[in-house]
């Protein structure tokens, strides 16, 4: 038995996103991410490798707010955050504010594998990734015309407002996987929120906030990062399983309800060691997909 869940961000979903070529392109990207994860799981590979493989596909797709095509800071830069966590070993790696590495999720994995640390930020994270032999990318690789337009429109409406996937483009990406040996893992990658201040870090690279995995459950969140940080959302979900005996669906719903009650928008994906899944969100939509061994991949965008 193995399973994988992915998300491509929660937020506004434009009606056009729900039909035609646009919809097919989105679905194809999510399917490709699931297939990349399944290719690892089907041959007995580790959950961590599967979650990473799925996120890698979405980082390279310019439609998602991660890697290429990420949202821009207030001063028009890209600052990328990512994290991975292996539930079996409890090891984790993360980077925040990286600007020069093509795939932040690989940098997070390198922090896990090749450093004594959990989180590296900014220039130090970039330098570490490059020293580990990760592929560099120039600013023009990340910066798409759509994101430049998005930032201009946002700033024209309100120079100080940040936006969660404001124009309906896909959002942050994440994956959680259960491998055939019972191991769980989570991976998340994001450009953050559009028009963010330089140096702002969201929930995604913070272990326990936007990303978490232990022996019981793996979690990846998407939404207004500040709300997920305050709720320590991903760990709160895991703690509910551990201490209250709630199942993954009830725990996920309770955490999201708490975030909603505090005014936060977003969603999350969670997968337990038995393969039970929860994919709740309190926004108009969340790009998401799931696949269990022997079953066809499922993709959803709207409610
Ligand atoms: N959670 C991400 C952040 O605040 C944004 C998103 O999920 O789209 O950085």
């Amino acid at each position: 038995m193995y399973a994988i869940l992915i998300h491509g961000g929660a937020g506004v979903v434009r009606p056009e996103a729900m039909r035609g070529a646009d919809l097919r392109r989105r679905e194809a990207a999510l399917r490709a991410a699931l297939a990349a994860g399944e290719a690892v799981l089907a041959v007995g590979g580790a959950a961590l490798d599967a979650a990473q493989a799925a996120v890698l596909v979405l980082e390279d797709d310019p439609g998602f707010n991660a890697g290429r095509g990420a949202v821009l800071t207030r001063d028009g830069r890209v600052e990328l955050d990512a994290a991975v966590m292996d539930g079996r070993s409890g090891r984790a790696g993360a980077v925040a504010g990286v600007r020069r590495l093509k795939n932040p999720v690989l940098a997070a994995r390198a922090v896990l594998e090749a450093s004594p640390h959990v989180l590296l930020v900014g220039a130090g994270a970039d330098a570490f990734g490059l020293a580990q032999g990760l592929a560099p990318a120039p600013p023009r690789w990340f910066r798409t015309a759509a994101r430049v337009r998005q930032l201009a429109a946002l700033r024209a409406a309100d120079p100080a407002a940040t936006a969660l996937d404001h124009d309906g483009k896909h959002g942050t990406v994440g994956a959680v996987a259960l491998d055939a040996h019972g191991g769980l893992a989570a991976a998340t990658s994001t450009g953050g929120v559009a028009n963010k201040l330089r140096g702002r870090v969201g929930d995604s690279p913070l272990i326990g906030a936007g990303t978490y995995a232990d022996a019981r459950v793996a979690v990846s969140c998407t939404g207004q990062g500040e709300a997920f940080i305050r709720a320590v959302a991903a760990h709160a979900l895991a703690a509910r399983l551990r201490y209250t005996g709630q199942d993954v669906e009830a725990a996920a719903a309770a955490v999201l309800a708490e975030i909603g009650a505090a005014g936060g928008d977003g969603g999350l994906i969670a997968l337990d060691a038995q393969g039970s899944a929860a994919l709740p969100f309190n926004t108009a939509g969340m790009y998401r997909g799931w696949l269990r061994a022997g079953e066809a991949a499922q993709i959803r965008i709207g409610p």
Side-chain angles (χ1 to χ4, degrees), residues 142-153:
F142 299 109
R143 237 173 106 98
T144 60
R147 291 307 188 190
V148 172
R149 282 197 302 274
Q150 175 190 39
L151 183 66

Side-chain angles (χ1 to χ4, degrees), residues 13-32 61 64 168-170 286-288 299-303:
V13 177
R14 291 169 300 157
E16 316 84 89
M18 299 299 293
R19 51 178 186 261
D22 225 16
L23 175 62
R24 282 194 294 278
R25 202 165 40 74
R26 286 170 162 79
E27 288 183 341
L30 293 169
R31 265 182 219 290
D61 188 310
F64 293 88
K169 289 276 170 209
H170 321 187
M286 179 168 81
Y287 296 91
R288 60 203 187 279
I299 305 290
R300 302 277 188 284
I301 295 175

